[in-house]
Amino acid sequence: MKIKSFTALALAFIIAAACTNSRQKKPTVVATTSILGDAAKVLLQGADSVAVVSLMGPGVDPHLYKASQGDIESLSKAKLIIYNGLHLEGKMTELFAKLKNKRVFEAGKAVNQARLINATEFGGAYDPHIWFDPMLWQEVIVALSAELSNTFPKERDLISKNLEAYLVKLNTLHQNNILLLDNISESQRVLITAHDAFKYFGRAYNIKVVGLQGISTTAEYGIKDVSNLVQLIVENEVKAVFVESSVPVRSIEAVIEAARTEGHAVQLGGELYSDALGDANSEANTYLGMFQQNVL
Ligand code: ZN
């Protein structure tokens, strides 16, 4: 009798341990930026057996982000790692190289290379901000859905359903952007921002985009950059320049101040979301929401 109850107890213990274990072992998809995390969440919506984690929270600048010890642990445990590549996560390159035996998805490799913008001022590298053209982003979404289906074959049908619905939403977003931005007159089609995150956006919607800082926030800007930008603002009678949620406001304030001394009043426009989504309570906490907030 005693042996029997001991066995039962042991068995109960083993089952309990197995349960805790399986909870801990829920496979994770670990994305670097919140924008990539959102893509994975959309495609895996309803798939309760998989958890999606984004390493960088709202307002975090990926160009400057350094992985924490906790991030390294999350990455090493991940079933699938999603990163942007094209040097967006500039300080994590070495870390990605070390994770070679892991399953990784690199968004920059998923798009047609001919559609990438060559940023010659940045050592001949490609501009990494590929999410700002919804039609280009569709290529990433399609490739990511295939990768997720291969990684989680049981969720294949669900992922394909989510993909179909999301592609429709991205198409609608693109059409709405065209309608909204069509009203801007030719001379006013200039977007001035703190760093050059919007080149793909500019190409997609025929808007000249000028950033003070180039395509990475790691680059220092000099007095010449400020004066060039000021000249452009004065010549085009630009009325507003924009700050970004993941870049300090002081860089663009220097431009406004300099334009003012040249006798041209330019306003600080609203905050744009560039390399990170808004926080959970904001309307920019998803890719679609972020885009709508930026364009409005
Ligand atoms: Zn950027």
Side-chain angles (χ1 to χ4, degrees):
M1 196 64 182
K2 260 185 185 169
I3 291 168
K4 226 179 184 177
S5 65
F6 176 75
T7 316
L9 191 71
L11 199 64
F13 182 74
I14 290 163
I15 290 168
C19 286
T20 338
N21 229 354
S22 74
R23 231 191 343 264
Q24 281 172 348
K25 278 193 178 154
K26 186 168 174 173
T28 55
V29 171
V30 177
T32 53
T33 67
S34 47
I35 293 164
L36 287 164
D38 178 65
K41 275 180 199 161
V42 166
L43 291 168
L44 287 166
Q45 199 168 25
D48 297 330
S49 63
V50 185
V52 179
V53 180
S54 309
L55 298 181
M56 303 177 203
V60 173
D61 180 349
H63 303 283
L64 303 176
Y65 187 82
K66 288 188 185 123
S68 69
Q69 199 52 44
D71 291 344
I72 295 167
E73 265 167 53
S74 303
L75 288 166
S76 65
K77 283 182 192 155
K79 185 100 175 166
L80 175 67
I81 295 167
I82 304 173
Y83 67 102
N84 191 82
L86 305 172
H87 303 289
L88 179 76
E89 303 95 339
K91 312 266 180 206
M92 293 174 82
T93 319
E94 275 177 40
L95 181 60
F96 295 140
K98 280 184 200 152
L99 295 163
K100 273 212 168 96
N101 56 342
K102 300 290 296 183
R103 201 177 181 123
V104 296
F105 175 83
E106 188 178 342
K109 285 202 173 139
V111 299
N112 180 350
Q113 301 295 296
R115 291 181 73 188
L116 291 176
I117 293 176
N118 204 332
T120 42
E121 72 272 26
F122 195 61
Y126 291 113
D127 183 340
H129 304 90
I130 48 177
W131 55 93
F132 276 121
D133 175 350
M135 295 298 98
L136 194 60
W137 196 234
Q138 277 194 344
E139 291 184 20
V140 173
I141 297 295
V142 169
L144 179 60
S145 76
E147 184 66 46
L148 288 169
S149 294
N150 291 337
T151 315
F152 308 104
K154 277 186 200 159
E155 309 291 358
R156 191 175 288 272
D157 290 346
L158 185 81
I159 292 167
S160 122
K161 224 178 273 171
N162 288 338
L163 170 69
E164 215 174 302
Y166 197 54
L167 291 180
V168 172
K169 285 187 182 169
L170 289 175
N171 272 328
T172 309
L173 172 74
H174 180 58
Q175 295 307 325
N176 286 344
N177 289 342
I178 291 173
L179 286 176
L180 278 166
L181 298 166
D182 231 21
N183 300 326
I184 304 171
S185 70
E186 201 54 48
S187 66
Q188 292 286 310
R189 298 185 86 84
V190 184
L191 174 64
I192 292 175
T193 59
H195 94 299
D196 242 348
F198 296 91
K199 278 193 193 271
Y200 290 97
F201 177 81
R203 184 179 66 180
Y205 303 110
N206 185 29
I207 290 172
K208 186 179 166 67
V209 178
V210 185
L212 176 62
Q213 242 181 327
I215 58 163
S216 171
T217 54
T218 56
E220 289 288 326
Y221 58 92
I223 293 165
K224 195 163 180 297
D225 297 317
V226 173
S227 69
N228 285 348
L229 202 51
V230 169
Q231 204 175 344
L232 186 104
I233 290 169
V234 174
E235 274 168 18
N236 289 276
E237 294 181 8
V238 173
K239 293 191 178 67
V241 293
F242 295 88
V243 287
E244 297 159 42
S245 64
S246 53
V247 180
V249 65
R250 65 172 188 282
S251 49
I252 210 76
E253 276 174 349
V255 173
I256 293 176
E257 198 43 53
R260 206 166 281 152
T261 59
E262 297 231 348
H264 180 77
V266 56
Q267 277 186 340
L268 189 60
E271 182 182 65
L272 294 176
Y273 297 94
S274 54
D275 294 0
L277 297 178
D279 63 57
N281 300 322
S282 77
E283 284 178 62
N285 65 347
T286 64
Y287 173 83
L288 291 173
M290 169 191 81
F291 225 114
Q292 277 151 6
Q293 290 296 308
N294 276 349
V295 174
L296 286 178

